RNA sequence: CGGGGUGUGGCGCAGUUGGCUAGCGCGCAGCGUUCGGGACGCUGAGGUCGGAGGUUCAAGUCCUCUCACCCCGACCA
């Protein structure tokens, strides 16, 4: 086992995390603070995410486009709360071609403003709606404290931006996007969390309403894993995005925006990783199966090549590790740290019996399959790994969700366990600031409303149920 | 931005009250022996000590300035 190579995950989570990223060859640090070089193995995971999500985005009627990296400062300044939210973390270009620029340019922290200035020109009639654009790109937010994938100064994401005739249609889009994200997290990342609304102080700068997907990490901290915003008509009014309706009246559009970033990979590493390194869900694994020969023996190699072809023909992402300068044990550890879901061990025994020994990464369990049954076994095994990783994630979430009736309970739970604390609460920024100062926890999302209860902080009647947690 | 810490081959580190040619482990290259859970031997390549200035016969080591990075907080997908 590779245990010795890694710091302990529970007692040294930060060291474990950064070390796994290095050992699994996912990423390296860039020369500028907070930047990272995503290496081919790490980027391949992102490509799997893109391959899964891009068709879903298109299915929602959203087309891919590309908008410029540079945004005139005046654009950002048009929407007041938007610029207030992003100003502290902007990277600004002041010089170009050796000369000081007339107007400084922000490196996009998100693309609402530059897109909506264009939307304003593109939208005249109700026939131009809905307008639905997505872009896969990088954005820059000058973060004070950074960690690879989880919080980097530059990160990759997709951002969807839509404009609609009615508020109902916009809300449907907002919810549709969040539904897609939930599917991606469930079915591909094998991660579960809670979907809900953000509080006044946590919502996106410029949005009327923000939906979020909040996941629990093994450390007891929550990770905001993606968001989907109902922008109302805030940007429509500042960017003058109007259309003429069939009844000849003029109206502002209703807008949404939604994004999922490479932070998701950070969540994946934290949530599924173990003492031996990365554990990848098969759906996102660049390599699903690696075949490792016990010895560089020609009979074994020949048999391995046969299995490799057999699996590749069945559509599996398989890699046959034929390096002859690394020994068997070394290779096993190498691939385990990299989180490959299934390792096939091949030795003289397997060749003779025309079998294969399959070892699953998540549990470490082994079984033997004949060559004839191999494809079926692999298929079932990959599905089972995917399923049980999701179940594990759900169990972690459930075990770390506790209810508190009052502020004392609340503080006691956070102190003892961290995790999510479920409470009745009336959304109130001042109260939230006080709670945060005292406990480091903030509201993560509202998960229910229309119930009967008592605000855990003020003791007043409340109808909304919220989750609080410390967050990454 | 506040508190703490670290800068010496690719990585991890040692280097004493200043003293000779700056070491060790891992990794890397070549050759050989090995090969069912991180093998071993031999040979070899690779650093001018974060940077600048200073003290001294002599600086990795002392002084001044400076830069970078890491960890802990406040800000955040």
């Amino acid at each position: 086992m590779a245990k010795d190579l890694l710091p302990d995950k529970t007692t040294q989570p930060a060291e474990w995390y950064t070390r796994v990223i290095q050992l699994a060859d996912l990423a390296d640090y860039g020369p500028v603070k907070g930047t990272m070089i995503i290496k081919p193995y790490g980027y391949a995971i992102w490509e799997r995410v893109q391959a899964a999500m891009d068709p879903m985005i298109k299915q929602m009627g959203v087309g891919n486009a590309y908008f410029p990296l540079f945004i005139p400062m005046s654009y950002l300044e048009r929407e007041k709360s938007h610029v207030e939210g992003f100003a502290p973390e902007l990277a600004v270009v002041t010089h170009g071609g050796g000369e000081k620029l007339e107007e400084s340019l922000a490196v996009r922290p998100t693309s609402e403003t530059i897109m909506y200035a264009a939307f304003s020109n593109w939208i005249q009639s109700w026939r131009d709606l809905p307008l639905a654009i997505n872009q896969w790109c990088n954005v820059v937010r000058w973060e004070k404290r950074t960690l690879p994938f989880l919080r980097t100064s530059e990160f990759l994401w997709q951002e969807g931006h839509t404009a609609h005739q009615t508020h109902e249609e916009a809300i449907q889009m907002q919810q549709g996007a969040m539904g897609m994200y939930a599917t991606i997290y469930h079915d591909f990342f094998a991660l579960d969390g809670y979907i809900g609304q953000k509080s006044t102080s946590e919502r996106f700068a410029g949005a009327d309403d923000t939906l979020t997907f909040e996941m629990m990490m093994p450390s007891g901290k929550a990770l905001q894993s993606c968001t989907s915003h109902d922008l109302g008509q805030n940007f429509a009014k500042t960017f003058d995005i109007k259309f003429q309706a069939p009844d000849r009246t003029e109206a502002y559009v209703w807008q949404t925006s939604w994004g999922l970033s490479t932070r998701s990979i950070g969540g994946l590493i934290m949530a599924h990783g173990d003492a031996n390194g990365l554990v990848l869900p098969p759906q996102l694994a660049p390599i699903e199966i690696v075949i490792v020969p016990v010895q560089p023996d020609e009979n074994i190699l020949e048999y391995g090549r046969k299995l490799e072809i057999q699996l590749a023909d069945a559509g599996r992402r398989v890699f046959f590790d034929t390096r002859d300068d690394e020994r068997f044990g070394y290779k096993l550890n190498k691939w385990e740290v990299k989180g490959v879901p299934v390792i096939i061990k091949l030795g003289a025994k397997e060749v003779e019996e025309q079998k294969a020994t399959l070892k699953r990464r998540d549990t470490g369990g082994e079984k033997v399959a004949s060559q004839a049954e191999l494809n079926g076994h692999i298929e079932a095994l990959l599905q089972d790994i995917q399923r049980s990783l999701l179940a594990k994630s759900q169990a972690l979430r459930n075990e770390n969700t506790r209810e508190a009736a009052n502020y004392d309970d609340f503080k006691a739970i956070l102190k003892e366990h961290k995790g999510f604390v479920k409470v009745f609460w009336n959304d109130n920024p001042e109260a939230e600031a006080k709670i945060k100062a005292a406990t480091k926890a903030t509201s993560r999302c509202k998960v229910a409303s229309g119930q009967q209860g008592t605000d855990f902080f003020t003791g007043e009647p409340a109808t909304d149920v919220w989750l609080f947690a410390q967050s990454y």
Side-chain angles (χ1 to χ4, degrees):
Chain A
M1 299 298 151
K3 276 189 188 94
D4 312 341
L5 297 174
L6 282 168
D8 182 66
K9 195 186 175 196
T10 26
T11 56
Q12 301 176 274
E15 291 74 13
W16 176 89
Y17 179 79
T18 47
R19 194 82 195 106
V20 165
I21 286 170
Q22 303 273 339
L23 284 176
D25 217 23
L26 297 177
D28 201 352
Y29 289 102
V32 175
K33 177 176 163 55
T35 61
M36 70 170 168
I37 298 159
I38 306 178
K39 298 174 84 173
Y41 191 64
Y43 198 80
I45 297 172
W46 184 237
E47 286 179 310
R48 295 287 309 160
V49 175
Q50 290 181 306
M53 206 153 89
D54 201 61
M56 293 186 192
I57 292 171
K58 286 172 177 146
Q59 222 161 44
M60 295 191 297
V62 183
N64 282 335
Y66 186 79
F67 281 72
L69 171 69
F70 299 122
I71 302 180
M73 282 304 288
S74 59
Y75 278 41
L76 281 165
E77 283 156 5
R78 280 197 222 173
E79 219 288 341
K80 193 167 148 284
S81 61
H82 189 66
V83 71
E84 278 172 8
F86 283 105
E89 44 185 22
L90 284 183
V92 180
V93 180
T94 56
H95 288 73
E99 285 171 32
K100 190 171 192 310
L101 299 172
E102 290 266 317
E103 181 180 359
S104 295
L105 304 173
V107 179
R108 64 178 164 227
T110 179
S111 302
E112 273 76 8
T113 56
I114 194 165
M115 282 197 181
Y116 303 163
F119 281 19
S120 174
N121 294 328
W122 297 351
I123 296 168
Q124 312 291 333
S125 154
W126 64 276
R127 295 175 208 279
D128 297 326
L129 298 173
L131 177 61
I133 298 284
N134 176 68
Q135 77 174 354
W136 292 95
C137 66
N138 59 338
V139 289
V140 170
R141 299 181 187 180
W142 219 260
E143 300 289 352
K144 304 282 186 208
R145 225 181 127 186
T146 57
L147 253 179
F149 291 107
L150 283 178
R151 202 185 306 100
T152 44
S153 296
E154 178 187 6
F155 58 87
L156 304 182
W157 75 347
Q158 59 70 221
E159 48 177 329
H161 296 265
T162 68
H164 307 267
Q165 283 191 61
T166 66
H167 194 201
E168 292 67 40
E169 200 182 310
I171 289 173
Q172 212 165 42
M173 182 71 233
Q174 181 204 14
Q175 291 173 347
M178 185 48 71
M180 170 187 76
Y181 290 147
T183 303
I184 290 287
Y185 273 115
H186 277 90
D187 297 352
F188 291 84
F189 284 87
L191 289 170
D192 207 350
Y194 291 108
I195 295 173
Q197 259 173 334
K198 279 294 186 190
S199 70
T200 311
S201 43
E202 290 285 319
R203 102 171 41 117
F204 179 72
D208 280 353
D209 175 60
T210 291
L211 286 176
T212 178
F213 189 80
E214 299 283 331
M215 298 190 311
M216 184 45 57
M217 295 291 114
S219 62
K221 286 189 183 180
L223 186 72
Q224 179 174 312
S225 307
C226 56
T227 47
S228 179
H229 315 294
D230 170 10
L231 301 176
Q233 295 180 311
N234 299 331
F235 287 92
K237 285 175 181 165
T238 49
F239 284 89
D240 199 37
I241 314 176
K242 285 187 284 201
F243 68 99
Q244 214 168 6
D247 66 3
R248 298 182 161 196
T249 57
E250 194 176 56
Y252 288 110
V253 297
W254 297 86
Q255 292 181 273
T256 76
S257 69
W258 26 279
L260 182 146
S261 74
T262 38
R263 165 180 276 192
S264 58
I265 295 174
L268 177 76
I269 297 164
M270 297 269 338
H272 291 317
D274 65 15
N276 295 324
L278 195 59
V279 177
L280 289 174
Q283 288 286 355
L284 292 184
I287 298 168
E288 295 171 292
I289 307 136
V290 64
I291 302 171
V292 181
V294 168
Q295 292 154 9
D297 172 84
E298 192 43 49
N299 289 326
I300 299 171
L301 292 178
E302 193 186 323
Y303 182 56
R305 277 190 289 272
K306 222 159 42 175
L307 297 189
E308 180 190 14
I309 291 165
Q310 178 181 328
L311 287 165
D313 285 349
R316 297 264 77 102
R317 296 186 296 281
V318 57
F319 180 77
F320 184 23
D321 188 354
T322 55
R323 276 188 77 144
D324 61 2
D325 61 325
E326 292 172 349
R327 299 174 93 225
F328 184 56
Y330 185 91
K331 287 181 179 178
L332 294 178
N333 286 307
K334 177 179 73 176
W335 293 111
E336 278 169 6
V337 170
K338 289 166 87 73
V340 173
V342 177
I343 292 176
I344 296 182
K345 300 178 176 185
L346 287 189
K349 199 172 67 191
E350 281 80 1
V351 175
E352 191 183 325
E353 298 171 2
Q354 295 287 290
K355 289 184 174 169
T357 301
L358 315 182
K359 175 162 188 185
R360 55 189 289 174
R361 175 64 181 84
D362 59 339
T363 62
E366 284 193 14
K367 66 176 175 180
V368 177
S370 69
Q371 190 194 342
E373 299 171 329
L374 182 63
N375 291 18
H377 269 81
I378 289 279
E379 172 96 39
L381 193 51
L382 291 173
Q383 281 177 12
D384 193 57
I385 293 170
Q386 186 80 27
R387 231 190 339 261
S388 65
L389 285 176
L390 177 63
K392 209 182 88 190
S393 165
Q394 286 166 333
L396 180 84
R397 178 197 63 179
N398 296 340
E399 286 161 15
N400 283 285
T401 306
R402 301 175 178 85
E403 294 182 15
N406 55 54
Y407 197 35
D408 285 339
D409 284 1
F410 180 89
K411 286 189 281 197
I413 290 170
L414 280 174
K415 197 171 175 196
E416 197 179 343
H417 309 283
K418 296 194 184 178
F420 288 121
V421 187
K422 203 183 232 182
V423 291
F424 276 96
W425 184 56
N426 293 314
D427 182 5
N428 175 323
E430 288 96 67
E432 183 156 5
K434 282 182 200 159
I435 295 163
K436 184 179 183 181
T439 67
K440 290 195 223 168
T442 51
S443 71
R444 299 327 301 157
C445 61
K446 180 167 78 181
V447 287
S449 50
Q451 319 238 332
Q452 290 291 320
T454 311
D455 185 309
F456 83 104
F457 190 66
T458 63
E460 289 163 10
T463 56
D464 295 336
V465 179
W466 291 79
L467 292 169
F468 277 70
Q470 293 176 12
S471 74
Y472 270 97

